[in-house]
Amino acid sequence: MRAAPKPPSAEQPELDTIVEAILYLYTESRRITKDVAARHGVTGPQLAVVKMLEPVGKLSLSELSWKIRARNSTVTGIIDRMEREGLVERRRSEDDRRVIHITLTKKGQRLAGEIPVEPVQIFRQILSELSPRDAGELSRILTRLARRVRELVQEKGEVE
Amino acid sequence: MRAAPKPPSAEQPELDTIVEAILYLYTESRRITKDVAARHGVTGPQLAVVKMLEPVGKLSLSELSWKIRARNSTVTGIIDRMEREGLVERRRSEDDRRVIHITLTKKGQRLAGEIPVEPVQIFRQILSELSPRDAGELSRILTRLARRVRELVQEKGEVE
DNA sequence: GCGAATTGTTTCGCGTGCGAAGCATTTGAT
DNA sequence: ATCAAATGCTTCGCACGCGAAACAATTCGC
C-alpha cells in the first residue's frame, strides 16, 4: 500500500479550474438550498431530512446519516432540533431495540408537501441545462473519479 | 398522497449520478484535508489560511474570506483561534485604518514550510490522475456550469 | 465641510459537523 | 450459557459557517 507518490505533477491549469468550479458549485448550491429552506422556516439539512423521509415513511438514524453524508453524531443533533419543532418523531424499533426509526409528523408531512424541490433537486436543476452529451461525459468522468477516491480512502490515509 | 408534482425536467438518472459524485468528491476531499492538517496540529481551514498567506506575506481579512469562500464573520473566528495559537498576527493597515492585515508569525511560517501540500492540492492530486482529454472536458463543462450558476445568483433568487 | 451612505471588521446566537468516549443491545465465539 | 466484539445511538467539547446587528473609519453628495 505504499502507492508510489506521484511526482509533483507539472503545470495543468485546467486542474485548478476544475477544483475552483467544484468548490464554487458546491458552496453556492448549498447557500441556495439554505435560502429555499429558510423561506419555510427550516434549515438546509432539515429540509434534506424531510425530503428523504417523505417517500419512504421511516428511516433509521444511520440510514439517514448515510444518505445526507454526515456522521451519526451530527444527525442526532439535527433530529433533536427537528423533534423539538415537532417535525419528526423518534420511535424505537421492535426488531432491534438499538435502532431508532425516524418518521415525519403531520406537521412534517405538510411541510414536505409545501416544498416542491428537494435540496439535491436544485443542483439537479442547474445540471439539467447541460446537453445530453455533456451530461454523459460529466457523469462518466466524475463517477470514475469518485471510484478512485473511494479506493484511496479505503487504503487508509495514503495522502501525503 | 397526490400525484407527484413532477417537474418538467425529464428523467435523467445521469444527473443524479453527477450530483452524487460531486457531493462525494467534495465531502471526502474535505475530510482528507482535515486529516492532513490534523497531523500538524491545525484544522482544515487554518491550513488553508496558512497556505494562502505563505506566498504573499499579508492579506486583509476580506481578501482571505474571499479566497477561502467564507464570510467575514467566519474568518474572524478562524483568525482569532490562529492568533491564540501564535500562528498569525493582526496588524492595522496604515493606509486605511478599517483594514486588518493578517501575517504569518515565525511559527506560522515554519508550519507552512512543513506542510508540502495546500488543501486544494489534495483535490488537485486526485484530479491529476485524469487523462488530459477528460480533464479538458471536465474543465470545459464545469466552467460553463459555474458561469450559469453565477448568472442565476446575480439575478437574485431565481430558484423556485 | 458636514452629515449620510458605504466599507471593513467584530460580536452574537444558532445550527451544523466531527471524533472520542460512553451506553445499551445484539451477535459471535467458545 | 457466557463473555467479548460489534453495532446503533447519544453526549460532549470544539471548530466552523452563517446572517443580523453593531461599530469604526472612509467616502460620497452637496
Side-chain angles (χ1 to χ4, degrees):
Chain A
M1 270 139 248
R2 317 288 253 95
K6 202 138 202 146
S9 58
E11 61 253 78
Q12 239 179 306
E14 265 169 354
L15 297 186
D16 289 334
T17 307
I18 295 171
V19 172
E20 258 307 291
I22 289 188
L23 258 49
Y24 177 78
L25 286 173
Y26 178 86
T27 58
E28 204 53 57
S29 82
R30 205 170 110 159
R31 279 179 192 152
I32 293 171
T33 298
K34 189 179 175 180
D35 286 348
V36 172
R39 266 176 248 162
H40 296 270
V42 291
T43 65
Q46 289 176 8
L47 172 53
V49 168
V50 166
K51 279 301 187 177
M52 294 290 188
L53 286 172
E54 191 186 18
V56 293
K58 76 178 175 193
L59 285 173
S60 77
L61 192 134
S62 294
E63 290 168 334
L64 223 35
S65 303
W66 188 84
K67 282 194 173 232
I68 68 175
R69 292 198 182 298
R71 305 300 187 194
N72 283 352
S73 57
T74 300
V75 178
T76 292
I78 294 173
I79 298 300
D80 281 350
R81 288 179 288 273
M82 292 181 74
E83 207 173 16
R84 194 208 302 152
E85 295 298 321
L87 292 171
V88 297
E89 267 179 12
R90 276 181 167 94
R91 201 165 306 178
R92 198 138 225 130
S93 163
E94 300 293 319
D95 314 328
D96 185 336
R97 294 177 39 70
R98 288 170 303 182
V99 175
I100 296 281
H101 287 309
I102 319 288
T103 54
L104 287 176
T105 60
K106 298 260 186 252
K107 183 176 173 187
Q109 287 169 7
R110 209 177 315 125
L111 180 66
E114 281 170 17
I115 310 184
V117 287
E118 64 176 302
V120 174
Q121 289 285 350
I122 295 168
F123 219 149
R124 211 172 174 285
Q125 180 178 328
I126 292 164
L127 289 171
S128 70
E129 297 184 10
L130 285 177
S131 74
R133 199 184 91 63
D134 283 357
E137 281 290 287
L138 195 53
S139 170
R140 182 180 61 78
I141 299 171
L142 289 179
T143 302
R144 183 184 306 167
L145 271 179
R147 184 173 352 109
R148 181 69 188 119
V149 171
R150 237 177 284 267
E151 286 169 14
L152 286 176
V153 169
Q154 230 149 19
E155 287 170 16
K156 219 45 181 167
E158 215 60 44
V159 188
E160 201 201 19
Chain B
M1 269 106 46
R2 326 243 317 86
K6 195 162 285 247
S9 71
E11 298 289 336
Q12 247 181 300
E14 264 169 357
L15 297 186
D16 289 335
T17 306
I18 295 170
V19 172
E20 258 307 291
I22 289 187
L23 258 50
Y24 177 78
L25 286 172
Y26 179 86
T27 59
E28 204 51 57
S29 82
R30 205 169 110 160
R31 279 177 192 154
I32 293 172
T33 298
K34 190 180 175 180
D35 286 348
V36 172
R39 266 176 249 161
H40 296 270
V42 291
T43 65
Q46 288 176 10
L47 172 53
V49 168
V50 166
K51 279 301 187 176
M52 293 292 187
L53 286 172
E54 190 185 18
V56 293
K58 75 177 176 193
L59 285 173
S60 77
L61 191 134
S62 294
E63 289 168 335
L64 223 35
S65 303
W66 188 83
K67 284 196 171 228
I68 69 174
R69 292 198 183 297
R71 305 301 187 192
N72 282 352
S73 56
T74 300
V75 178
T76 292
I78 294 172
I79 298 300
D80 281 350
R81 288 180 287 273
M82 292 181 75
E83 207 173 16
R84 194 207 302 151
E85 296 297 321
L87 293 171
V88 298
E89 269 180 9
R90 279 180 165 95
R91 201 165 307 179
R92 199 138 224 131
S93 164
E94 299 294 318
D95 314 329
D96 185 337
R97 295 177 40 69
R98 288 170 303 182
V99 175
I100 297 280
H101 287 309
I102 319 288
T103 55
L104 288 176
T105 60
K106 298 262 187 246
K107 183 176 174 187
Q109 287 169 8
R110 209 178 316 127
L111 180 66
E114 281 171 18
I115 311 184
V117 288
E118 63 176 301
V120 174
Q121 290 286 349
I122 294 167
F123 218 148
R124 211 170 173 288
Q125 180 179 328
I126 292 164
L127 289 172
S128 71
E129 296 186 10
L130 283 176
S131 73
R133 171 176 284 103
D134 282 358
E137 281 289 285
L138 194 54
S139 170
R140 183 180 61 77
I141 299 171
L142 289 179
T143 303
R144 184 184 304 166
L145 271 178
R147 185 171 353 108
R148 182 70 188 118
V149 171
R150 238 178 283 267
E151 286 170 16
L152 286 176
V153 169
Q154 229 150 19
E155 288 168 13
K156 217 52 179 165
E158 215 61 44
V159 188
E160 197 193 19

